[in-house]
Amino acid sequence: MLIVRPVETRDIDALARLAENATPRLTNLPASRERLLERIARSQDAFINEVDAPSNEHYTFVLEHIAIGDGATEVLGTATIRAQAGGAEAYYTYRQETLIHASQQLNVRREVKTLSLSHEVSEATLLCAFSLDPRYKGTYAESLLRRARLMFTAQYPERFSRILAVAFPGYLDAQVQSPFWESVGRHFFVRSFQEMNHIAGVRSKSFIAEVMPQFPLYLPLLTCEARAAIGREHPAHKVALAEMLAEGFSRSRHVDIFDAGPIVRAERERLATFRHAAWHPVLIHPEHALPDAELAMIANQKRGDEFRCLVARYALSPTGQLMLPPFYAEQLGVEEGCAVLATPLTLPSAVAESDEGAVFNEGEV
């Protein structure tokens, strides 16, 4: 059985391994035990504290395999919700814009693409720090870990922004370098992308805005390789991006300031997980007697370290009760009659490419 739960201090070795093996290395999941222990402590505080509005809370989850026979466990993945992307400091991105240069005397009108430094995404809730054991790539474990965060968000909306965002790693070349960074950032920092990625992981990205130019970057002045990388995801995250688009996220005009990776956003009410989620009382039922049914994500309604989300058959009784085998109910920590939140595991097909480049609403990210 696979189950998602809040991170605990005992998970530090697994988190260090997942951070070390992340492809590519993630600034929001640094391969530093000291920083990871800080993240665990911050997450534990976030889960137990009373929160009325989103701020600098970080909620970190792990995906755990539990053997039904002997109860042996193994942590296979991790993912985080940052309640407010700019909770502690501004969350900087580049925003894609178009400037018009025109001269009536010369009968010239040119539209020029630019990138402008922005912190509009700071107010959004950020889904980040996703890393999964390679053995489980392409399985429902990937979707469970990624979307269990939405199941938690659906139950505690006051803790999060109405706008959710996901920043995907950008394109890297065969030498594991970022063409965008080589054309932009290196001129101001004189360091490689990998060096800067590591520094941002153990510190923060705020120093970027202190050195990067405050004026718009004109895309025609960048290299062809850099322009081609803007809004392009790392190949290892292509499936993840497709799933988030299928969930209901849309591409925005914002890209990462390091590698120009795409940033997608959505109003949470428009996401499939939210729209199709329903509460059902539990009916304990033997697994061998369950009727055939589609798979669903099932989450209990406990907030602290007892929150759990797993995948089970969406089998309802004639009276609308969700039939759960005893072991599943035990892992969720629910008894017969307790309510659980359920939503289908399968998502619709990815949205059309016409959604690409959708802009943030006025006054929102």
Side-chain angles (χ1 to χ4, degrees):
M1 171 188 289
L2 297 176
I3 191 165
V4 173
R5 60 166 173 81
V7 70
E8 299 176 7
T9 305
R10 62 185 172 95
D11 301 320
I12 180 60
D13 290 338
L15 253 62
R17 182 183 70 252
L18 290 165
E20 189 73 29
N21 296 331
T23 305
R25 290 289 184 89
L26 304 175
T27 57
N28 48 37
L29 187 63
S32 162
R33 291 180 69 90
E34 181 180 356
R35 287 298 304 274
L36 291 173
L37 284 170
E38 291 175 1
R39 171 158 300 188
I40 292 172
R42 175 182 292 180
S43 177
Q44 290 173 325
D45 288 342
F47 276 105
I48 63 175
N49 289 342
E50 295 296 330
V51 175
D52 297 325
S55 184
N56 194 34
E57 297 83 25
H58 289 205
Y59 303 85
T60 297
F61 302 83
V62 295
L63 174 70
E64 186 174 52
H65 176 265
I66 301 176
I68 295 180
D70 58 11
T73 64
E74 180 185 8
V75 172
L76 306 171
T78 183
T80 293
I81 309 172
R82 190 186 300 180
Q84 197 173 59
E89 55 196 11
Y91 182 84
Y92 285 97
T93 64
Y94 272 125
R95 180 183 173 93
Q96 302 178 75
E97 299 175 345
T98 301
L99 295 182
I100 297 177
H101 293 256
S103 171
Q104 291 183 344
Q105 292 181 340
L106 299 177
N107 193 28
V108 172
R109 184 184 185 279
R110 294 293 305 275
E111 293 185 358
V112 182
K113 302 293 184 182
T114 66
L115 292 176
S116 296
L117 207 59
S118 168
H119 50 75
E120 295 175 47
V121 185
S122 295
E123 298 299 315
T125 288
L126 194 67
L127 306 182
C128 60
F130 182 96
S131 181
L132 179 67
D133 189 305
R135 294 173 295 168
Y136 289 81
K137 291 283 188 180
T139 70
Y140 77 77
E142 193 168 1
S143 185
L144 171 62
L145 176 58
R146 185 173 293 118
R147 296 174 60 214
R149 294 173 294 183
L150 299 179
M151 295 289 278
F152 184 79
T153 305
Q155 297 190 49
Y156 303 100
E158 71 281 0
R159 290 174 170 263
F160 306 101
S161 169
R162 190 172 65 87
I163 303 297
L164 305 183
V166 188
F168 286 94
Y171 172 77
L172 303 181
D173 62 21
Q175 287 72 45
V176 200
Q177 294 297 327
S178 165
F180 182 79
W181 176 261
E182 293 300 311
S183 186
V184 179
R186 181 180 276 277
H187 294 296
F188 299 92
F189 289 91
V190 200
R191 298 196 183 196
S192 72
F193 170 76
Q194 299 298 341
E195 289 178 295
M196 296 305 298
N197 207 37
H198 173 73
I199 293 172
V202 297
R203 297 179 187 173
S204 73
K205 284 188 178 181
S206 62
F207 64 88
I208 294 294
E210 299 170 358
V211 180
M212 294 294 276
Q214 300 297 312
F215 302 103
L217 301 177
Y218 283 71
L219 266 59
L221 301 181
L222 305 184
T223 64
C224 294
E225 293 80 6
R227 294 198 301 270
I230 296 173
R232 182 179 176 186
E233 74 278 6
H234 188 284
H237 292 258
K238 189 176 185 66
V239 172
L241 176 57
E243 181 174 59
M244 289 294 94
L245 294 177
E247 175 71 57
F249 285 88
S250 298
R251 292 178 183 264
S252 74
R253 289 186 178 179
H254 293 264
V255 297
D256 185 80
I257 56 178
F258 269 5
D259 55 23
I263 296 176
V264 300
R265 53 80 71 185
E267 297 172 2
R268 62 190 183 200
E269 295 83 4
R270 298 183 61 185
L271 298 178
T273 297
F274 287 74
R275 290 187 292 106
H276 301 301
W279 289 98
H280 298 281
V282 169
L283 175 64
I284 307 298
H285 200 79
E287 185 169 17
H288 69 271
L290 284 177
D292 290 334
E294 64 176 325
L295 294 178
M297 292 190 300
I298 314 294
N300 64 16
Q301 54 181 327
K302 300 180 181 181
R303 189 191 73 209
D305 58 4
E306 295 180 316
F307 173 80
R308 299 292 186 273
C309 184
L310 50 75
V311 172
R313 278 187 275 178
Y314 207 160
L316 300 180
S317 71
T319 55
Q321 295 168 294
L322 182 69
M323 295 183 280
L324 281 178
F327 186 73
Y328 285 69
E330 177 186 351
Q331 293 304 317
L332 287 172
V334 297
E335 300 176 348
E336 193 162 287
C338 291
V340 292
L341 186 65
T343 195
L345 180 65
T346 303
L347 287 169
S349 300
V351 297
E353 282 299 312
S354 60
D355 283 344
E356 185 171 350
V359 299
F360 289 145
N361 294 332
E362 189 69 27
E364 304 170 349
V365 296

